[in-house]
Every structure is written in structure tokens, then in C-alpha cells.
Amino acid sequence: MKREEKILSDYLSANNLKFTQQRKVILDAFLSLEHHVSAEELYDKLKKKDYGIGLATVYRTLNIFSSCGLAQQRQFGDGQSRYEHEVDHGHHDHLLCQQCGKITEFENKHIEELQKEVAKEKGYVVFTHKLELHGLCPDCAS
Amino acid sequence: MKREEKILSDYLSANNLKFTQQRKVILDAFLSLEHHVSAEELYDKLKKKDYGIGLATVYRTLNIFSSCGLAQQRQFGDGQSRYEHEVDHGHHDHLLCQQCGKITEFENKHIEELQKEVAKEKGYVVFTHKLELHGLCPDCAS
DNA sequence: GTGTTTGCAAATGCTTTGCATCCCT
DNA sequence: AGGGATGCAAAGCATTTGCAAACAC
């Protein structure tokens, strides 16, 4: 059994929820897609395979994935939520192209240390952060 | 005439738009409120004064403010947009309390320099950025 | 005057919910 | 058997849009 499947399965049984066909199918589709998937995109992918899974179920399932740490929900300002895999995919931030919509990930330990300092100065206890750099990707910039 | 009023007035005439009563009233109310106002909050404030201004007009006007640089639109993930004054209020980032919703601003030149380095490494041209630190404010943390 | 703006209500787009039925455990 | 899960359609929100009347220039 895949690691992600075990995480989901454990979470479900711990909360008296059920490991249904749909949840398994949606998990596989979610993992097979690139990062930053919207509910609609996931639903479209499933529709092609004729599983008869409804959009509402996709939303409900993605919320479960968020709750058990399999996915992280993000909003980049285009009006819809996007979901990212969390397992085997450590924390990172995003570069976003305003023209073509491309999303590039990056990580910078030094920035994160400075964030901690800022939080400390202001007396905050910080659990997570979001950093987005908006501009043009290499292709669109040239 | 206030500086903000001149900015709006210039923008409107440059675009063949009109400086209406409503736009003036909404501008004053916007400036009088704290930062990070939602359209609904601004509308509620105006409703109390019985100007008869509709919510649609508030949205339309806030979009104009965004276009002429008087306001910046932000989404903190609670499902609605918030608008900030931009004039006399340089760039900054945010600390957000998950418990009470308090928003604290900060600025850190060093972090911004590192962001530029990251962008350069990845070949991006960056125009703006958003950095949010999510956690507990001093009051809620204790 | 004329073309923009307004308020209202209706429409939109994303997401959630109610409900009868279905399916895990 | 029984309580959670599903699909569908309807409801909810925040935001936008269509339209006739009102207004700025």
C-alpha cells in the first residue's frame, strides 16, 4: 500500500470515516496530477474515465486530504483554490507568472530564518507562511 | 484637495470617467477606515450614513481605486478580498493571527533582497510579492 | 445633450449542503 | 444493520453584469 494511502486510511479509521472506492480513485488521480490542481481540474480528469464521481465528492474529498495533511490548500488570487501534495514534498514557496500562469517552486532557508526573526520581534508565534513572487517567467520575460 | 482625491480625479479625467458624488463619498469612507477593509465592511459603513449607495457601486469603485493605485487588493484566504490604502503607506507584508484575525504589518529589507536573488536565480522578473506569516498574535499566544 | 454611472435585481463562478439512496464495515 | 458517503440539484457567498433611470461634463 502506498504511503499516502496509508495516511488516508489511518486518518479515516481514526475518525470513524470510510475508505470508499471514490476516495481511493480521487487519491490516485490527485497524486498522478501535477501540483497546484484545482477541484475542477481533478473532476475533469475523473470525468474522462467515466467513474461517475460528482464534483461535490471531489470537494469533500479534497477537504479530507487537507485535514489529514495529504494536501495543502492555496489561493493564488484567481478565484479558485488549488491543492498541492504535501507528502514527500517539503515546504516551499512560489514564483508566479502573470502572463502565462506558470508556477515555479523555490525554497530559501535564509528567508525563512529572517521570517522567524520578524515574528519574534512582533511577539507572534508563527506556524506557517506563504510567500509569492509575482512577475514574468523566463519565457514571457524575453 | 486631498492628495488621494487628486490622484483619483486625474485618473478619472485621463480615462473619460466622471468624478461622481458616490466616488467621492466612497473615497472618504475608504480613507477613514483602517487598512484591510472588505467591500462589505465599506458598504456597511456607508449604509449607516444613508447615502443610498449600492454594494455594486462599492465594488466598482474599489476596482477603480485598484486601477489608479489608490488601493491594493489582497486575499488572505477567508473567501473575500480586502483592500488597503497604498498612498502614504509603502510596501509591507503581514502577520496574521489565526485565532482573533488580527493583522500586523511589517517590513524587512533584507528579506526583499533575498527574494530578488531567488527570482534572478530562476530567471524570473518580479514586480510584486506577497508574504504572509500565519500564527498567533501576542495576546492569543499567551 | 450625450455618454457614463447608478441602484437594483438577476446572473455568475466557486464551493457547500440537503436529501434520498447506496455502500462500507 | 446502520451510520457514514454519494450524486444530484439546490443553496450559499462574494463579486459582476444588464438595464432603465439619473447624472456629470
Side-chain angles (χ1 to χ4, degrees):
Chain A
M1 180 155 71
K2 249 180 274 181
R3 191 159 142 207
E4 290 87 355
E5 210 172 307
K6 173 148 174 48
I7 293 174
L8 178 58
S9 160
D10 287 351
Y11 174 83
L12 292 173
S13 50
N15 290 276
N16 279 322
L17 304 176
K18 291 166 185 176
F19 201 156
T20 61
Q21 281 299 316
Q22 288 90 332
R23 284 173 182 167
K24 170 150 181 40
V25 169
I26 293 173
L27 177 62
D28 289 340
F30 176 60
L31 294 175
S32 79
L33 286 168
E34 53 175 334
H35 297 130
H36 317 114
V37 187
S38 70
E40 198 79 36
E41 284 164 2
L42 194 46
Y43 173 67
D44 284 345
K45 163 118 183 178
L46 293 165
K47 203 158 55 178
K48 279 183 196 138
K49 302 217 171 168
D50 250 340
Y51 290 122
I53 293 179
L55 181 56
T57 301
V58 174
Y59 274 105
R60 284 186 280 232
T61 306
L62 283 171
N63 284 336
I64 291 176
F65 291 176
S66 297
S67 302
C68 67
L70 278 173
Q72 182 157 350
Q73 196 175 163
R74 292 184 180 271
Q75 278 147 294
F76 291 124
D78 61 341
Q80 54 180 16
S81 291
R82 297 190 166 276
Y83 300 80
E84 279 186 322
H85 317 171
E86 268 302 288
V87 177
D88 285 332
H89 187 241
H91 174 78
H92 58 268
D93 292 301
H94 299 92
L95 279 152
L96 303 151
C97 181
Q98 297 174 341
Q99 199 153 96
C100 70
K102 182 176 174 181
I103 302 174
T104 302
E105 301 176 352
F106 71 89
E107 202 188 343
N108 187 302
K109 290 291 181 206
H110 198 167
I111 291 181
E112 308 205 356
E113 279 164 29
L114 288 170
Q115 289 175 4
K116 278 180 202 153
E117 278 176 32
V118 168
K120 202 170 173 183
E121 260 172 46
K122 301 281 184 181
Y124 268 69
V125 180
V126 169
F127 302 127
T128 60
H129 70 260
K130 290 182 188 172
L131 172 56
E132 299 168 21
L133 306 180
H134 295 254
L136 296 176
C137 72
D139 291 341
C140 294
S142 57
Chain B
M1 178 154 72
K2 248 179 275 179
R3 192 160 142 204
E4 289 88 353
E5 210 171 306
K6 173 148 175 47
I7 293 174
L8 178 58
S9 161
D10 287 350
Y11 174 83
L12 293 174
S13 50
N15 290 276
N16 281 321
L17 304 176
K18 292 166 184 177
F19 201 156
T20 61
Q21 281 299 315
Q22 287 89 333
R23 284 173 182 166
K24 169 149 181 44
V25 168
I26 292 172
L27 176 62
D28 288 342
F30 176 59
L31 294 174
S32 78
L33 286 168
E34 53 175 334
H35 297 131
H36 316 113
V37 187
S38 69
E40 197 80 35
E41 283 163 3
L42 194 46
Y43 173 68
D44 284 345
K45 164 120 183 178
L46 293 165
K47 204 159 55 178
K48 277 182 197 139
K49 301 217 170 164
D50 250 339
Y51 289 121
I53 292 179
L55 181 55
T57 301
V58 173
Y59 273 105
R60 285 187 278 232
T61 305
L62 284 171
N63 283 336
I64 290 177
F65 291 176
S66 297
S67 301
C68 66
L70 279 173
Q72 182 154 351
Q73 197 175 162
R74 291 183 180 272
Q75 278 147 294
F76 292 124
D78 61 342
Q80 54 180 16
S81 291
R82 299 191 165 273
Y83 300 80
E84 278 186 322
H85 317 172
E86 267 301 289
V87 178
D88 286 332
H89 187 241
H91 175 78
H92 58 267
D93 290 301
H94 299 92
L95 280 152
L96 303 150
C97 181
Q98 297 174 341
Q99 199 152 93
C100 70
K102 182 176 175 181
I103 302 175
T104 302
E105 300 177 353
F106 71 89
E107 202 189 342
N108 188 301
K109 291 290 178 207
H110 199 166
I111 290 181
E112 309 206 357
E113 278 164 30
L114 289 171
Q115 289 176 3
K116 279 180 202 154
E117 278 176 33
V118 167
K120 201 170 172 183
E121 260 173 47
K122 301 281 184 182
Y124 268 70
V125 180
V126 169
F127 302 126
T128 61
H129 69 261
K130 291 182 187 174
L131 173 56
E132 299 167 21
L133 306 181
H134 295 253
L136 296 176
C137 72
D139 292 342
C140 294
S142 57

